[in-house]
C-alpha cells in the first residue's frame, strides 16, 4: 500500500451568509418554502440584470486576507456555461482567469505539528438551485431558493498527502470561516462543500499521477472515507497494471464506496467568457485596509498565544480556540483577573460541559466572564474549597447569581481555623476506634476515610490541606 504516495487538492465552496443573493435582492436564507426566495433575476426572466452584493465582496475579502492571499485590484466575473434545470440562466456567474485573490495558505495542526497548505486562488461565484428527483415519478422538482446565493470557492494546491490531512485542512477552513463570521460551516446543510482531487504516485516520484475528482461528501468523516477509498482503488488499479481514468466520482455514504459520475469536463466545455453585464470588480486600497483592520485574531495565532503567553497545554489551547466565542470568553475571564490556567480548566471542563449538555451557545451562558473570574478568585484566596466551588458554580449556572452572593447567603466560607478543625478531627477519631486501630496497624489508605468523615461533619467546608495535616498528626 505505501508504495504509493497520495496527492490531494481540495476545492471548497463556502456559502457566504449574506442577507440577499450575490446579484439580486432576493433572500439568501436557508430553507423556506420551495421557490419562496426568488425574484425575476433569480428566475432569469428576460431583461433582468445582475447587481453585485457589496457584503459578499467584503466577506470574500475577509477570507482572502485571513489566508494571506494577494488581492487583485481588478478582478473579473465570467460566465461558466452548463445546462441543468437548477441553473435557469444557463450559465453560472463565476470568476475565471482573473480571480479576486491568489496565493494564500491555510495553517492547521496535524498530529501536533503546524502544517500549511497553499491556496491557489479564492474566487467569487453564485450557487445553483436544487433538484429533487422523486422516486418513481416522471418528473423532478426544482427549488431555486439557493440559486444565486453568494459563494467563494477556495482552491488548494495539491499539497495534501493523506485523507486525514485533508479532513484536518477542511476543519481548519471551517473554523476560519466561522471565526470570520462569513459562513456557518454547516456541511450537512451544504453551506460548506468540498470536492477532493486525488491521485497517487510511486513514493519518491515527483510527477503527479492522473487524478479523479470526488464529490458528494457532506461531513468530515465522509471526506476522509471517500479519499481513503479512492487511494486504495487507484493503488489496486496501478498494481494490476491498469490506468486511472480522469473522471468525476460520486461518494455513496451508505455503500461506503464511490462510482463514476461523468468523465472530467475541460475548461473549454464551459465556454467561459467575461460577464458582459457586470463591470470589472475594483478593490480600493483603503477598502483592503479597512477589512484587514477588522479581522479577528485568527485561530492558529490565538492557539500560539494561549500556549506561549498564557502557559496553557496544547490540549487546552486547542480546545479553547475551537470557536471564536469561546476563546473570547476565556480571554475575558483572564482579563477580569483570573489565573490563566485555572480559567482554562473552568472554561474547558465545567463550563463547556454545562453548555454542551443543553446544546447552548456560549453567548447564552448564564455565567458572565467576570462572574466566573470572581468564583476562581474565591478559591484562589482560600475562601472556599475547590469542591465547594463546583457546587457554587452549579448554583451560579442555574440561577445567574454571583459567586460571593451565594457563598455568603449559604455560609459556605471555608473553615481554615486549625483549632476548629482539630476539634472535629478528634471527634471523628473517637467515634471510629476500629478504623484507628487498622490505620495504626499500617493501613494508610484509611486516611481518606477520616478525611471524608471530617468533610461530612463540616459540610465540605473544612480546608482539605489542614484536615489532612491534622489527621496525620493526630493518628500517628
Ligand atoms: P479543475 O478546475 O478542472 O478542477 P484545477 O487545475 O483547477 O482543475 O485543479 C483543481 C484541484 O485539483 C486543485 O485543488 C488542485 O490542487 C488539484 N489537483 C490538480 N492536479 C492534481 C493531481 N494530479 N492530483 C491531485 N490533485 C490535483
Ligand atoms: Mg474541479
Amino acid at each position: 500500500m505505501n508504495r504509493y504516495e497520495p496527492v490531494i487538492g481540495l476545492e471548497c465552496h463556502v456559502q457566504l451568509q449574506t442577507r440577499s443573493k450575490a446579484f439580486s435582492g432576493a433572500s439568501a436564507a436557508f430553507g423556506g418554502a420551495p421557490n419562496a426566495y426568488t425574484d425575476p433575476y433569480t428566475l432569469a426572466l428576460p431583461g433582468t440584470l445582475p447587481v453585485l452584493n457589496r457584503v459578499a465582496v467584503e466577506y470574500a475579502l475577509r477570507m482572502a486576507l485571513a489566508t494571506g492571499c494577494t488581492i487583485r485590484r481588478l478582478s473579473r466575473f465570467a460566465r461558466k456555461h452548463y445546462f441543468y434545470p437548477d441553473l435557469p440562466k444557463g450559465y453560472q456567474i463565476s470568476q475565471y482567469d482573473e480571480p479576486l485573490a491568489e496565493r494564500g495558505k491555510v495553517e492547521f495542526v496535524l498530529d501536533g505539528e503546524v502544517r500549511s497548505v497553499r491556496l491557489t486562488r479564492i474566487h467569487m461565484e453564485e450557487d445553483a438551485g436544487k433538484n429533487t428527483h422523486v422516486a418513481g415519478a416522471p418528473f423532478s422538482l426544482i427549488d431555486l431558493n439557493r440559486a444565486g446565493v453568494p459563494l467563494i470557492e477556495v482552491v488548494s494546491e495539491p499539497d495534501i498527502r493523506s485523507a486525514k490531512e485533508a479532513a484536518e485542512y477542511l476543519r481548519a477552513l471551517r473554523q476560519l470561516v466561522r471565526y470570520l463570521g462569513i459562513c456557518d460551516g454547516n456541511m450537512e446543510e451544504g453551506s460548506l462543500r468540498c470536492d477532493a482531487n486525488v491521485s497517487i504516485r510511486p513514493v519518491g516520484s515527483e510527477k503527479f499521477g492522473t487524478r479523479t475528482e470526488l464529490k458528494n461528501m457532506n461531513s468530515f468523516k465522509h471526506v476522509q472515507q471517500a479519499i481513503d477509498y479512492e487511494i486504495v482503488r487507484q493503488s489496486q488499479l496501478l498494481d494490476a497494471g491498469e490506468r486511472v481514468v480522469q473522471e468525476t466520482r460520486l461518494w455513496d455514504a451508505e455503500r461506503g464506496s464511490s462510482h463514476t459520475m461523468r468523465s472530467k469536463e475541460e475548461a473549454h466545455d464551459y465556454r467561459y467568457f467575461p460577464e458582459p453585464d457586470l463591470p470589472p470588480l475594483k478593490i480600493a486600497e483603503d477598502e483592503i485596509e479597512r477589512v484587514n483592520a477588522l479581522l479577528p485574531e485568527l485561530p492558529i495565532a490565538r492557539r500560539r498565544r494561549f500556549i506561549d503567553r498564557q502557559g496553557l497545554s496544547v490540549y487546552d489551547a486547542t480546545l479553547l480556540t475551537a470557536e471564536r466565542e469561546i476563546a473570547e470568553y476565556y480571554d475575558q475571564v483572564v482579563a477580569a483577573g483570573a489565573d490563566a490556567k485555572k480559567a482554562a480548566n473552568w472554561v474547558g471542563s465545567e463550563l463547556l460541559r454545562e453548555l454542551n449538555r443543553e446544546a447552548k451557545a456560549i453567548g447564552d451562558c448564564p455565567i458572565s466572564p467576570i462572574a466566573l473570574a470572581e468564583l476562581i478568585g474565591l478559591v484562589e484566596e482560600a475562601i472556599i474549597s475547590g469542591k465547594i466551588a463546583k457546587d457554587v458554580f452549579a448554583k451560579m449556572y442555574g440561577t445567574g447569581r454571583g459567586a460571593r452572593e451565594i457563598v455568603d447567603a449559604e455560609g459556605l466560607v471555608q473553615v481554615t481555623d486549625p483549632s476548629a478543625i482539630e476539634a472535629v478531627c478528634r471527634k471523628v477519631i473517637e467515634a471510629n476506634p476500629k478504623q484507628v486501630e487498622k490505620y495504626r496497624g499500617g493501613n494508610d489508605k484509611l486516611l481518606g476515610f477520616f478525611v471524608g468523615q471530617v468533610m461530612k461533619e463540616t459540610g465540605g467546608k473544612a480546608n482539605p490541606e489542614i484536615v489532612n495535616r491534622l489527621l496525620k498528626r493526630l493518628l500517628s
Side-chain angles (χ1 to χ4, degrees), residues 11 13 80 153 155 195 197 211 213 215 248 262 264-265 270:
E11 295 166 275
H13 288 95
K80 178 181 180 178
E153 181 171 335
V155 183
D195 302 339
N197 294 269
R211 72 178 149 124
E213 183 168 337
K215 287 186 182 289
T248 301
R262 57 170 185 243
K264 176 95 186 90
E265 61 292 314
Y270 290 123

Side-chain angles (χ1 to χ4, degrees), residues 188-201:
E188 265 111 69
E189 287 180 2
S191 47
L192 175 64
R193 307 192 288 273
C194 133
D195 302 339
N197 294 269
V198 179
S199 65
I200 57 171
R201 60 183 176 188

Side-chain angles (χ1 to χ4, degrees), residues 16 22-23 41 50-54 56-58 60 72 74-80 91-100 121-126 150-152 272-283:
L16 302 176
F23 303 110
Y41 181 78
V51 178
L52 179 59
N53 183 330
R54 177 187 292 274
V57 177
E58 167 155 356
R72 235 177 234 276
L74 194 151
S75 67
R76 260 178 232 283
F77 289 97
R79 291 185 180 182
K80 178 181 180 178
Y91 59 84
Q92 173 195 33
I93 300 183
S94 182
Q95 294 191 303
Y96 185 47
D97 49 6
E98 295 171 85
L100 177 72
R121 57 190 271 151
I122 296 179
H123 70 248
M124 299 184 68
E125 58 186 30
E126 59 178 334
L151 299 175
I152 48 174
Y272 278 103
F273 67 77
E275 168 59 64
D277 290 338
L278 285 168
L281 173 58
K282 283 190 187 154
I283 308 284

Side-chain angles (χ1 to χ4, degrees), residues 28-283:
F30 178 78
N35 299 302
Y37 305 144
T38 58
D39 60 1
Y41 181 78
T42 307
L43 299 172
L45 297 187
T48 54
L49 290 168
V51 178
L52 179 59
N53 183 330
R54 177 187 292 274
V55 178
V57 177
E58 167 155 356
Y59 285 6
L61 267 182
R62 275 189 207 169
M63 184 62 172
L65 290 169
T67 50
C69 284
T70 305
I71 312 290
R72 235 177 234 276
R73 299 305 190 266
L74 194 151
S75 67
R76 260 178 232 283
F77 289 97
R79 291 185 180 182
K80 178 181 180 178
H81 296 80
Y82 63 93
F83 292 97
Y84 210 56
D86 61 13
L87 188 73
K89 292 200 294 280
Y91 59 84
Q92 173 195 33
I93 300 183
S94 182
Q95 294 191 303
Y96 185 47
D97 49 6
E98 295 171 85
L100 177 72
E102 290 155 296
R103 290 181 304 279
K105 63 170 197 261
V106 169
E107 290 185 317
F108 55 99
V109 180
L110 179 71
D111 297 330
E113 271 174 44
V114 175
R115 285 274 302 146
S116 176
V117 166
R118 291 169 300 157
L119 298 184
T120 315
R121 57 190 271 151
I122 296 179
H123 70 248
M124 299 184 68
E125 58 186 30
E126 59 178 334
D127 212 340
K130 214 174 178 131
N131 295 332
T132 305
H133 306 295
V134 186
F139 55 80
S140 289
L141 300 171
I142 300 168
D143 178 6
L144 294 176
N145 284 352
R146 200 180 67 181
V149 168
L151 299 175
I152 48 174
E153 181 171 335
V154 181
V155 183
S156 89
E157 290 287 308
D159 283 351
I160 298 166
R161 294 290 173 268
S162 71
K164 187 179 172 202
E165 186 177 5
E168 287 308 324
Y169 163 86
L170 193 58
R171 282 201 180 88
L173 197 85
R174 176 176 187 274
Q175 184 187 34
L176 196 52
V177 298
R178 288 173 60 86
Y179 259 68
L180 296 172
I182 63 173
C183 173
D184 62 17
N186 189 327
M187 292 186 72
E188 265 111 69
E189 287 180 2
S191 47
L192 175 64
R193 307 192 288 273
C194 133
D195 302 339
N197 294 269
V198 179
S199 65
I200 57 171
R201 60 183 176 188
V203 169
S205 158
E206 291 284 303
K207 206 166 144 269
F208 288 157
T210 304
R211 72 178 149 124
T212 57
E213 183 168 337
L214 308 174
K215 287 186 182 289
N216 199 38
M217 298 91 70
N218 62 1
S219 72
F220 295 109
K221 198 174 104 203
H222 291 163
V223 168
Q224 196 165 334
Q225 286 174 340
I227 293 174
D228 270 331
Y229 177 88
E230 185 60 13
I231 292 168
V232 171
R233 193 189 69 88
Q234 291 187 11
S235 303
Q236 286 169 349
L237 282 175
L238 296 195
D239 282 345
E242 290 175 47
R243 287 185 315 116
V244 173
V245 180
Q246 185 165 349
E247 63 183 2
T248 301
R249 300 178 64 86
L250 269 193
W251 175 247
D252 183 332
E254 239 150 71
R255 292 200 179 156
S257 63
S258 61
H259 55 266
T260 303
M261 177 191 174
R262 57 170 185 243
S263 65
K264 176 95 186 90
E265 61 292 314
E266 304 281 342
H268 64 247
D269 293 330
Y270 290 123
R271 291 153 34 247
Y272 278 103
F273 67 77
E275 168 59 64
D277 290 338
L278 285 168
L281 173 58
K282 283 190 187 154
I283 308 284

